[in-house]
Amino acid sequence: MGTQDSRCFGVRDTDTALLLLLNRGLRLLGSSYGMEHSYKYIEALNPYTFADFLIDNMLWFGLFFLLVLVVIITLLSYNLTKKEQNMRQVNALNDKLSVNQRKLQDQVNIAGGLSNAYFSVYFADLATGRYKAVKEMPRVQELLRGCRTVQEAMDIGLPHMIDHDDLAKMQEFTDTGTLIDRLGDSDSISAEFHSVDPQRPWCRASWIVAGRDKGGEAASVLYAVEDITALVGKRMAREKQRREAEKLERLRLQTMTEAIHGSFKRGLNDDEFTFLMVSEQLAKMLGYESPQEMIDAGSGCMMNLMDFSDTRHEIETVLKDVHSGKMYTMHYRLRCKDGSWKNVEDRGRLIRNPDGVEEFWSFIVDQDTLTRTEEALSRANQANAALQQAQQELEAARDTAEKASQAKSNFLFNMSHDIRTPMNAIIGYTELLGRHREEPEKFSDYLQKIRSANSFLLSLINNVLEMARIEAGKITFDEQVHRPGRIMDDITAVYEELMRQKGIDFRVSVSIRDRLIYCDSLKVKEILLNLVSNAYKYTPAGGRVNVELTEIPSMRPGWTSVKTVVSDTGIGMSEEFLKTIFEEFTREHTFTENKIEGTGLGMPIVKKLVELMGGSITVESTPGKGTAFTIIISPPAGAGN
């Protein structure tokens, strides 16, 4: 189509938009006509550009770019997820590292803290038995050098560090074979013991769990030892204060009961009024030998000894007073030991303890005795009573003076006789000593007899002074915690060799559960030495002397009674002499008859010392067969963890 023809398929060549549309339509139709006659014309008129190509293939380009975008987003998402996983792994490793660091720091802190509180600390692996010293004394380090296992170290070290009396207990405590079971439900166990180190006499050893396995059993432990001497001292001081407070409280109660001519009791607020405490006055008022005997007679309950049959009308009033917190007063009968009944008046109050336990505290007054006393007082004349009192006081003063005079005369007579005998011996042998200076055998014999008489004279004077101090009330007791075994060791050390030289079978046995007792050891030793000395003197060669210490039940709760029996197979004593054995200056045989020295004051001193310590002494003897002294003393028992 030429330029002269301004039309193309009816479209003017100036109408560009329609021509473009026509050209595209022909291309799509593929018409050979259009392609041949008009395509070139239209293409020349309006060429096909790259923009037209993009527009024509926009859908495919869009899909392509969308696919690329999806791939990019997927790759970015994968990288981000991988990075988060790596971060979580890093954080987990950091957390695990922090936990391990904290555990390590905790172990360091524990070891450091234990090192400050304990003077010996060891770390032990229970699986291998190996141990390592965290803190150790130099002498122990040298002692345990070469030990490979903790049990080997314990077996070697314990006998050198622990007192013999506590050794068996501590060997059981340090047994690693049973340690895992003993630490099953506890993170630590401990035991107190008496050390041989004078600077640390009391110590506490502890097993402390340092780590457990997956099954929860102890895998590693710390063995630590600390000095508790100050703590034990405070504990003993508190215990002494408690005993003194209880003693003072009993004295106060006794004073009150004696002042009102009555007695005291404590019981639980239960159906049976279970006994908590009964005074000696109440027991004696009903004819019982001791409070415990009365408690046993009632099977531990007050109700089993009471009779309300005549006074039931008082119960309602008494209950009102009890619940309102007022003092109550009631009357009833109590059964005596001989089966009779005694009318009493009970005045008391319900006491609520801080722990919620309710107790009845009450005073019991003997109505029978009170009635008889009131009747006697009503019939008595005041003037006659005053005169009788004066007469009684005069008679008592006269009796006291006569007894004092007689005692003085007896004392001077016995003293002059017993002092004269060794003095005469000293004077006589001294003269003989001067005459026989050139005869060594006689000279030595006389000198030995002078020494023996001098020793007897000194013993007599010491015993007289000791008796004087006792009679004057000047003797004091220094009560401390002591070991019964050590007291007997001191007695054995004095007489074991003497007994052996004389041919006497000497045996000592101690059977006491409490490891410690509270007593004046010097006074106890003085008593035992006196008895063992007599057994030694009056037992011939081939005889036997036994000393036995045993523990027996005590009437007083919290106290331990110690029974000591000193027996021999010596010459024995007559039944008549046993009646006066504890009187001053009494001896069955004279000094010149049996050649055995004695002052006659040993047994009186022993008896008075035993009684001052709240004990009792008895003696059994048969002439030619031997003698047995039995002493029972009830000191408060020590704590023997």
Side-chain angles (χ1 to χ4, degrees), residues 228-390:
I228 60 169
T229 302
L231 177 64
V232 172
K234 292 179 181 179
R235 185 192 302 163
M236 292 170 56
R238 288 195 300 268
E239 180 65 18
K240 184 177 181 180
Q241 291 176 354
R242 183 188 64 80
R243 288 194 297 269
E244 291 177 349
E246 290 180 351
K247 183 178 180 181
L248 180 60
E249 183 66 21
R250 288 194 297 270
L251 182 60
R252 289 171 177 170
L253 292 175
Q254 182 179 355
T255 302
M256 288 188 291
T257 55
E258 292 176 352
I260 65 172
H261 302 289
S263 53
F264 178 79
K265 72 171 179 64
R266 284 172 52 208
L268 288 176
N269 181 21
D270 54 18
D271 295 337
E272 302 294 332
F273 300 119
T274 302
F275 284 120
L276 291 177
M277 183 266 181
V278 174
S279 68
E280 293 186 6
Q281 290 83 0
L282 178 57
K284 292 179 179 178
M285 185 177 75
L286 299 177
Y288 296 99
E289 296 295 330
S290 66
Q292 188 61 45
E293 185 181 10
M294 176 181 169
I295 293 173
D296 294 340
S299 299
C301 304
M302 183 71 171
M303 182 63 74
N304 294 333
L305 301 176
M306 302 171 68
D307 178 19
F308 291 100
S309 57
D310 296 335
T311 56
R312 292 188 177 277
H313 60 280
E314 295 183 358
I315 295 179
E316 184 176 353
T317 303
V318 170
L319 290 176
K320 290 181 180 179
D321 292 341
V322 167
H323 293 304
S324 63
K326 297 179 181 180
M327 286 283 295
Y328 68 83
T329 301
M330 63 185 306
H331 300 83
Y332 51 84
R333 296 193 305 167
L334 282 175
R335 188 174 73 246
C336 300
K337 181 179 180 179
D338 60 5
S340 62
W341 293 89
K342 185 179 290 291
N343 293 301
V344 298
E345 181 180 76
D346 186 338
R347 298 178 183 178
R349 188 189 301 273
L350 181 66
I351 306 296
R352 291 180 175 87
N353 296 327
D355 57 3
V357 177
E358 295 182 341
E359 302 177 2
F360 280 109
W361 290 47
S362 59
F363 283 96
I364 308 295
V365 179
D366 184 350
Q367 289 287 73
D368 293 339
T369 303
L370 182 62
T371 301
R372 289 194 298 269
T373 302
E374 289 176 350
E375 292 176 354
L377 289 175
S378 65
R379 294 192 301 267
N381 184 284
Q382 188 173 1
N384 291 335
L387 179 60
Q388 291 176 2
Q389 182 67 24

Side-chain angles (χ1 to χ4, degrees), residues 311-499:
T311 56
R312 292 188 177 277
H313 60 280
E314 295 183 358
I315 295 179
E316 184 176 353
T317 303
V318 170
L319 290 176
K320 290 181 180 179
D321 292 341
V322 167
H323 293 304
S324 63
K326 297 179 181 180
M327 286 283 295
Y328 68 83
T329 301
M330 63 185 306
H331 300 83
Y332 51 84
R333 296 193 305 167
L334 282 175
R335 188 174 73 246
C336 300
K337 181 179 180 179
D338 60 5
S340 62
W341 293 89
K342 185 179 290 291
N343 293 301
V344 298
E345 181 180 76
D346 186 338
R347 298 178 183 178
R349 188 189 301 273
L350 181 66
I351 306 296
R352 291 180 175 87
N353 296 327
D355 57 3
V357 177
E358 295 182 341
E359 302 177 2
F360 280 109
W361 290 47
S362 59
F363 283 96
I364 308 295
V365 179
D366 184 350
Q367 289 287 73
D368 293 339
T369 303
L370 182 62
T371 301
R372 289 194 298 269
T373 302
E374 289 176 350
E375 292 176 354
L377 289 175
S378 65
R379 294 192 301 267
N381 184 284
Q382 188 173 1
N384 291 335
L387 179 60
Q388 291 176 2
Q389 182 67 24
Q391 290 176 344
Q392 291 175 359
E393 291 177 355
L394 288 174
E395 291 176 359
R398 182 190 63 191
D399 293 342
T400 301
E402 290 178 353
K403 290 180 180 179
S405 177
Q406 183 63 36
K408 181 179 180 181
S409 299
N410 292 338
F411 176 78
L412 292 175
F413 174 79
N414 292 326
M415 276 293 296
S416 62
H417 177 269
D418 279 9
I419 291 177
R420 187 185 302 116
T421 301
M423 286 297 296
N424 289 337
I426 292 172
I427 294 172
Y429 286 121
T430 301
E431 292 179 358
L432 292 173
L433 199 65
R435 298 177 186 175
H436 300 277
R437 293 180 180 178
E438 305 302 328
E439 302 178 50
E441 292 184 1
K442 290 185 177 181
F443 186 89
S444 176
D445 181 51
Y446 297 153
L447 185 59
Q448 178 61 33
K449 290 178 179 179
I450 291 174
R451 288 174 179 170
S452 177
N454 181 61
S455 176
F456 173 74
L457 183 60
L458 180 60
S459 174
L460 174 62
I461 294 173
N462 288 335
N463 284 337
V464 170
L465 294 176
E466 178 79 358
M467 182 62 72
R469 284 196 298 271
I470 294 175
E471 296 293 346
K474 297 299 179 80
I475 192 168
T476 58
F477 291 89
D478 181 17
E479 295 180 328
Q480 299 290 336
V481 174
H482 298 283
R483 299 177 181 275
R486 289 191 175 179
I487 293 176
M488 291 313 304
D489 287 344
D490 293 342
I491 303 299
T492 304
V494 173
Y495 278 98
E496 188 172 27
E497 181 62 21
L498 293 175
M499 296 283 188

